[in-house]
């Protein structure tokens, strides 16, 4: 039977990366996607911006929406302090199965909890199921029209605290216009755009970093 692209990405990792070495897993996927088959990983250029935000936030709790093959999961988890936890949500069982193996190859299983299911179902259960109070960092990289509803849901579920950082991929390409409009005009967020390029291409894309400011005063009037 024909292999899928995620299966071919996993094979490239198993052939070219060193077990237990997250950087070699990242390099192997980037090499494969740049030279063999494009895939929708955040990639090396935007990945460096992701790395710098993770290092700056130094989060104890991270939520990733949209695992795909686990590329950004590995990038983030490899930078987390001891005892920090990354929960990543993925509703496609085939992608989840591949991502588990990529994360295991990198030796990061202990820092990552991959939850199979839809963000809309799981966000309301984060506290009771995983004992999460709030997330220090959220990486949004799932369906682009789900960025806004899921952000509102995280707020409603009390999963964001003053200072929580949202980092959204693809705000230019494919684009997340409703999300950008909301987050840039909301008094509850301080946003910053990091200009970059669509993974493995010269097309413009970028990441939007937004700090949750908590419920601001005028909301109590
Ligand atoms: C229903 C929303 N809830 C979800 N809950 C859990 N997992 C979800 C969810 N949505 C989607 N997913 C999963 O996230 C992943 C989806 C990511 C969507 N990403 C994109 O469409 C995307 C697309 C491009 C792109 C850019 C230019 C192109 F020409 C073609 C594609 C680039 C990117 O960086 C992208 O992130 C999949 O693994 C999917 O199964
Ligand atoms: Mg993306």
């Amino acid at each position: 039977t024909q292999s899928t692209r995620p299966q071919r990405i996993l094979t490239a990792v198993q052939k070219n990366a060193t077990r237990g070495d997250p950087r070699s897993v990242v390099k192997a996927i980037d090499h494969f996607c740049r030279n063999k088959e494009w895939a929708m990983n955040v990639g090396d250029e935007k990945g460096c911006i992701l790395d710098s935000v993770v290092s700056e936030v130094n989060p104890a709790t991270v939520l990733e929406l949209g695992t795909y093959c686990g590329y950004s999961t590995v990038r983030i988890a490899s930078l987390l302090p001891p005892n920090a936890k990354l929960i990543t949500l993925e509703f496609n069982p085939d992608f989840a199965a591949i991502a588990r193996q990529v994360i295991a190859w990198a030796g990061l299983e202990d820092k990552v909890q991959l939850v199979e299911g839809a963000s809309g179902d799981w966000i309301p259960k984060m506290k009771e199921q995983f004992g999460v109070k709030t997330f220090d960092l959220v990486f949004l990289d799932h369906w682009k029209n789900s960025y806004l509803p899921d952000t509102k849901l995280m707020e409603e579920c009390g999963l964001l605290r003053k200072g929580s950082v949202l980092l959204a991929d693809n705000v230019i390409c494919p684009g997340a216009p409703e999300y950008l409009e909301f987050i840039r005009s909301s008094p509850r967020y301080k946003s910053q755009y990091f200009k970059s390029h669509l993974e493995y291409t010269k097309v413009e894309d970028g990441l939007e970093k937004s700090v949750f400011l908590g419920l601001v005063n005028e909301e109590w009037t």
Side-chain angles (χ1 to χ4, degrees):
T1 55
Q2 265 296 337
S3 68
T4 65
R5 181 167 304 177
Q7 280 169 334
R8 293 193 289 274
I9 287 173
L10 173 61
T11 302
V13 165
Q14 293 167 334
K15 275 194 180 135
N16 305 306
T18 308
R19 265 187 179 287
D21 176 357
R23 303 316 300 172
S24 74
V25 168
V26 167
K27 269 177 79 74
I29 296 174
D30 283 330
H31 187 271
F32 180 80
C33 294
R34 188 175 287 283
N35 300 297
K36 299 280 187 330
E37 292 183 67
W38 187 93
M40 60 181 178
N41 316 117
V42 72
D44 41 359
E45 192 181 321
K46 287 186 289 179
C48 286
I49 300 167
L50 171 63
D51 292 353
S52 63
V53 171
V54 174
S55 302
E56 173 206 339
V57 175
N58 199 34
T61 55
V62 184
L63 177 63
E64 175 179 62
L65 301 177
T67 316
Y68 188 45
C69 295
Y71 173 91
S72 49
T73 321
V74 166
R75 276 200 94 113
I76 296 168
S78 69
L79 296 173
L80 294 182
N83 307 323
K85 282 295 287 179
L86 191 169
I87 296 174
T88 183
L89 302 183
E90 175 52 58
F91 68 6
N92 181 310
D94 301 325
F95 295 167
I98 296 294
R100 285 190 202 288
Q101 296 173 78
V102 169
I103 293 158
W105 197 270
L108 292 166
E109 317 84 307
D110 297 349
K111 289 186 177 285
V112 176
Q113 173 130 29
L114 194 162
V115 178
E116 239 175 276
S119 51
D121 299 337
W122 279 100
I123 285 170
K125 293 192 273 190
M126 279 296 146
K127 291 184 185 242
E128 79 195 75
Q129 293 289 328
F130 304 105
V132 166
K133 279 197 282 298
T134 55
F135 286 107
D136 301 324
L137 174 67
V138 181
F139 182 54
L140 298 94
D141 194 19
H142 58 334
W143 288 169
K144 308 313 159 196
N145 57 17
S146 296
Y147 285 15
L148 182 52
D150 283 349
T151 296
K152 290 181 173 173
L153 187 57
M154 285 186 286
E155 274 192 40
E156 284 154 26
C157 296
L159 288 169
L160 303 179
R161 52 129 175 112
K162 202 186 290 281
S164 290
V165 172
L166 304 185
L167 188 66
D169 189 25
N170 311 116
V171 294
I172 303 300
C173 178
E178 302 82 10
Y179 175 80
L180 269 194
E181 157 66 30
F182 170 84
I183 208 90
R184 288 177 173 173
S185 59
S186 167
R188 291 200 300 281
Y189 294 88
K190 174 93 183 73
S191 290
Q192 186 181 1
Y193 174 61
F194 291 84
K195 186 172 191 279
S196 184
H197 295 94
L198 176 68
E199 48 268 28
Y200 319 115
T201 78
K202 292 186 170 35
V203 173
E204 183 182 342
D205 188 21
L207 300 169
E208 187 83 359
K209 176 191 169 198
S210 305
V211 183
F212 185 59
L213 303 175
L215 296 183
V216 293
N217 300 345
E218 77 267 20
E219 286 170 292
W220 292 97
T221 51

